[in-house]
């Protein structure tokens, strides 16, 4: 039909033949153009890398593909990432697209590869900075621990550092550092514990390493334990301070100001008396004996005629005058461990101090309210036995420093008998009061021996045999 048309032309042909000829021509044109169309489609497919390739990352308009995570970016070596990017560029360039669509596709792939390479380089730099910061923080924590403990930081120390970075490593960083454990100094042992006085047994199982019970009237020793051991006496020193002040006949109503010189520079202990407080000499003595206020006792010695050195000399002279042969005094407060004595000398001191009415009254008071300028302050006794039922205490004083342990001296009446009790170097905070209760109970359970006079030699022999 085609040849007939070519020879005779379109003239003289029927309408049906002309229509059939048009369809045939269209089919021929499609068949002729099919190979070139298929080739173009194949070239476009070969220009785009496959989605399953391990070396190429497909990037969408918003985020990277899920196949590449943060862990894979950190684990990839720099050389491998560089080769990977160059491979993508080479593949894109080798395709040589023949139309604009293929060229745009290849350009997009190249841009995506370059962006991925830049992202990987940023992640690598962030990782290096994070490791450097972590090492620096760990070194700082170990140095801090070593400075606190005086030793090198041990491997595997509990100090840890946690750093979290946002974005490309330029965001905020959170860190958690556990500090080195607090250094706790061991408790200091008293001198009595150091020399083994607590190892000496006694029938009452007292917690004090030194104990003595003395009959106030006859001077007879009723009970003793390490009575000749010379130890620091802490704030029991304030009894001697009060006696020296009263012996001087100073005006009790004179107002004394607590100054910076009264601050404790021996042990840096605190005080409820602020610097600048103004109290009478009588009030200062009251607080020194009842509440064991160190600044009050020091102010009494500082304002003594002639100064503090003259006052300390007067204390030692008073001790020799009342027969305290094994005692020495170094300051009016007892904060110095140079204030030393033994149970026998302290019993003599309490016996002499009982003759001072102000010492008896001030030391056994339960509380005192003083005006400290803008407010009134209530001070209370350091001895809980002064208002305990069953006790009739005429004089008392407590004391404590680490070298002396817990100390207590008292004058009391037990079963109509005046006795002097001395307890030094008690093991616990309440042990001295418990030991006083044990001694009182022991005195009450032996009334016949306590009331019937006996020859001192026979009495001492019986005590030695019993104990």
């Amino acid at each position: 039909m085609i040849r007939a048309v070519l020879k005779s032309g379109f003239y003289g042909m029927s309408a049906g033949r002309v229509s059939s000829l048009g369809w045939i021509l269209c089919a021929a044109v499609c068949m002729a153009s099919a190979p070139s169309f298929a080739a173009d489609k194949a070239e476009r497919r070969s220009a785009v890398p496959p989605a399953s390739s391990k070396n190429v990352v497909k990037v969408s308009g918003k985020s990277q593909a899920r196949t590449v995570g943060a862990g894979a970016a950190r684990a990839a070596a720099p050389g491998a990432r560089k080769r990977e990017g160059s491979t993508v560029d080479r593949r894109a360039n080798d395709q040589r697209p023949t139309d604009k669509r293929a060229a745009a596709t290849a350009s997009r792939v190249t841009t995506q590869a370059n962006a991925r390479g830049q992202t990987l380089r940023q992640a690598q730099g962030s990782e290096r900075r994070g490791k450097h910061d972590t090492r620096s923080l760990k070194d700082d924590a170990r140095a801090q621990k070593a400075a606190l403990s005086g030793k090198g930081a041990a491997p595997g120390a509990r100090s840890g550092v946690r750093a979290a970075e946002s974005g490309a490593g330029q965001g905020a960083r959170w860190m958690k550092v556990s500090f080195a454990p607090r250094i706790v100094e061991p408790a200091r042992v008293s001198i009595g514990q150091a020399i083994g006085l607590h190892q000496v047994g006694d029938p009452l199982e007292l917690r004090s390493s030194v104990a003595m019970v003395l009959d106030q009237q006859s001077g007879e020793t009723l009970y003793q334990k390490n009575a000749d051991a010379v130890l620091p006496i802490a704030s029991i020193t304030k009894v001697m301070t009060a006696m020296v002040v009263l012996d001087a006949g100073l005006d009790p109503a004179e107002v004394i100001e607590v100054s910076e010189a009264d601050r404790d520079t021996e042990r840096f202990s605190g005080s409820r008396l602020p610097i600048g407080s103004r109290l009478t000499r009588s009030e200062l003595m009251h607080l020194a004996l009842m509440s064991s206020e160190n600044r009050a006792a020091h102010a009494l010695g500082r304002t003594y005629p002639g100064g503090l050195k003259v006052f300390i000399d007067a204390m030692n002279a008073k001790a020799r005058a009342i027969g305290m042969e094994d005692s020495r005094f170094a300051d009016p407060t007892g904060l110095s461990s140079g204030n030393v004595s033994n149970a026998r000398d302290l019993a003599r001191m309490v016996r002499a101090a009982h003759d001072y009415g102000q010492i008896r009254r001030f030391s056994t008071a339960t509380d005192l309210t003083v005006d400290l300028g803008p407010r009134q302050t209530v001070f209370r006794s350091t001895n809980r036995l002064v208002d305990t039922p069953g006790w009739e205490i005429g004089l008392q004083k407590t004391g404590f420093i680490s070298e002396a342990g817990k100390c207590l001296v008292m004058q009391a009446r037990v079963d109509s008998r005046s006795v002097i009790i001395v307890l030094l170097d008690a093991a616990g905070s309440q042990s001295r009061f418990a030991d006083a209760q044990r001694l009182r109970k022991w005195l009450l359970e032996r009334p016949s021996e306590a009331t019937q006079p006996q020859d001192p030699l026979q009495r001492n022999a019986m005590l030695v045999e019993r104990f």
Side-chain angles (χ1 to χ4, degrees):
M1 182 183 292
I2 295 176
R3 290 178 180 179
V5 172
L6 293 176
K7 289 180 179 182
S8 60
F10 288 99
Y11 300 100
M13 294 181 63
S14 64
R17 288 187 175 185
V18 172
S19 176
S20 298
L21 181 59
W23 282 108
I24 292 173
L25 291 175
C26 289
V29 171
C30 291
M31 291 177 64
S33 61
S36 61
F37 178 80
D40 292 343
K41 186 175 182 181
E43 290 180 358
R44 287 195 300 271
R45 289 182 178 179
S46 62
V48 179
S52 60
S53 176
K54 296 182 179 180
N55 297 327
V56 180
V57 178
K58 184 176 181 180
V59 181
S60 65
K62 296 182 179 181
S63 62
Q64 296 182 358
R66 296 182 181 178
T67 56
V68 179
R74 289 193 298 268
R81 288 192 291 270
K82 186 180 295 185
R83 291 192 300 271
E84 185 179 354
S86 62
T87 302
V88 173
D89 295 342
R90 187 169 58 253
R91 288 183 178 180
N93 293 332
D94 290 342
Q95 298 302 325
R96 302 183 183 276
T98 57
D99 56 356
K100 295 182 179 181
R101 186 181 303 172
T105 302
S107 177
R108 184 172 62 254
V109 171
T110 302
T111 303
Q112 293 171 357
N114 293 336
R116 180 178 178 276
Q118 183 179 2
T119 302
L120 293 178
R121 287 191 296 272
Q122 291 177 354
Q124 179 184 6
S126 174
E127 180 181 3
R128 287 197 297 268
R129 289 192 298 271
K131 290 182 178 179
H132 177 71
D133 294 342
T134 302
R135 286 195 298 270
S136 300
L137 290 172
K138 287 183 177 180
D139 293 341
D140 292 343
R142 290 174 181 173
Q144 181 185 12
K145 182 177 180 181
L148 291 175
S149 62
K151 302 178 180 179
R158 297 182 61 183
S159 300
V161 179
R162 179 182 300 171
E165 299 182 359
S166 62
Q170 303 297 330
R173 186 178 292 114
W174 293 268
M175 294 167 289
K176 181 179 179 181
V177 179
S178 60
F179 293 96
R182 184 179 62 179
I183 300 174
V184 180
E185 295 184 358
R188 296 180 180 179
V189 297
S190 64
I191 294 179
Q193 291 174 327
I195 64 178
L197 294 182
H198 281 271
Q199 306 302 322
V200 178
D202 64 273
L204 299 183
E205 298 182 353
L206 301 179
R207 299 292 302 277
S208 302
S209 65
V210 174
M212 189 173 187
V213 180
L214 184 74
D215 187 289
Q216 185 178 0
Q217 300 299 325
S218 64
E220 178 187 1
T221 300
L222 305 178
Y223 190 95
Q224 62 177 332
K225 174 186 176 183
N226 298 323
D228 296 323
V230 178
L231 299 173
I233 59 175
S235 290
I236 296 177
T237 303
K238 294 182 176 69
V239 176
M240 179 61 73
T241 299
M243 285 195 293
V244 172
V245 172
L246 293 174
D247 288 345
L250 303 177
D251 183 9
E254 180 183 355
V255 177
I256 299 175
E257 181 177 350
V258 179
S259 68
E260 189 69 28
D262 300 320
R263 190 185 299 274
D264 174 22
T265 58
E266 179 78 17
R267 301 177 185 275
F268 302 98
S269 60
S271 175
R272 298 181 64 197
L273 284 179
I275 302 299
S277 302
R278 296 173 57 86
L279 295 92
T280 64
R281 180 175 280 107
S282 179
E283 289 175 329
L284 291 175
M285 185 181 298
H286 196 150
L287 295 178
L289 293 172
M290 180 190 70
S291 299
S292 199
E293 269 293 340
N294 293 315
R295 291 182 182 176
H298 194 275
L300 291 174
R302 177 177 53 83
T303 57
Y304 187 81
L308 190 60
K309 185 179 183 304
V310 176
F311 182 80
I312 296 174
D313 293 339
M315 294 175 69
N316 286 296
K318 180 68 173 180
R320 291 191 299 270
I322 61 179
M324 300 177 66
E325 298 178 355
D326 297 322
S327 303
R328 299 292 182 273
F329 294 93
D331 80 311
T333 64
L335 291 170
S336 172
S337 59
N339 299 283
V340 297
S341 185
N342 58 23
R344 295 188 187 279
D345 281 2
L346 292 178
R348 294 186 181 98
M349 185 182 70
V350 173
R351 190 176 184 181
H354 191 263
D355 295 335
Y356 296 80
Q358 285 180 289
I359 296 179
R360 294 197 306 270
R361 185 170 66 255
F362 290 162
S363 65
T364 57
T366 57
D367 58 77
L368 176 67
T369 302
V370 296
D371 188 1
L372 298 179
R375 67 183 186 280
Q376 290 187 336
T377 304
V378 179
F379 292 81
R380 303 191 183 279
S381 175
T382 57
N383 188 347
R384 64 181 181 86
L385 296 179
V386 294
D387 58 351
T388 299
W391 279 95
E392 188 179 349
I393 299 175
L395 185 150
Q396 70 81 31
K397 188 67 194 78
T398 61
F400 169 75
I401 57 175
S402 57
E403 294 88 344
K406 303 289 184 177
C407 305
L408 172 66
V409 295
M410 290 193 307
Q411 186 278 341
R413 289 187 63 84
V414 179
D415 195 23
S416 302
R417 185 175 189 173
S418 296
V419 295
I420 296 174
I421 299 174
V422 178
L423 296 168
L424 302 179
D425 189 28
S429 60
Q430 302 299 321
S431 297
R432 51 186 168 177
F433 304 124
D435 286 349
Q437 296 279 25
R438 294 186 186 96
L439 289 172
R440 179 177 179 273
K441 181 180 179 181
W442 175 77
L443 290 171
L444 291 174
E445 289 178 351
R446 49 190 301 276
S448 59
E449 297 182 11
T451 56
Q452 295 180 4
Q454 295 181 357
D455 180 44
L457 296 178
Q458 180 183 359
R459 174 71 172 175
N460 292 336
M462 183 178 62
L463 288 175
V464 171
E465 182 180 0
R466 180 188 297 270
F467 299 149

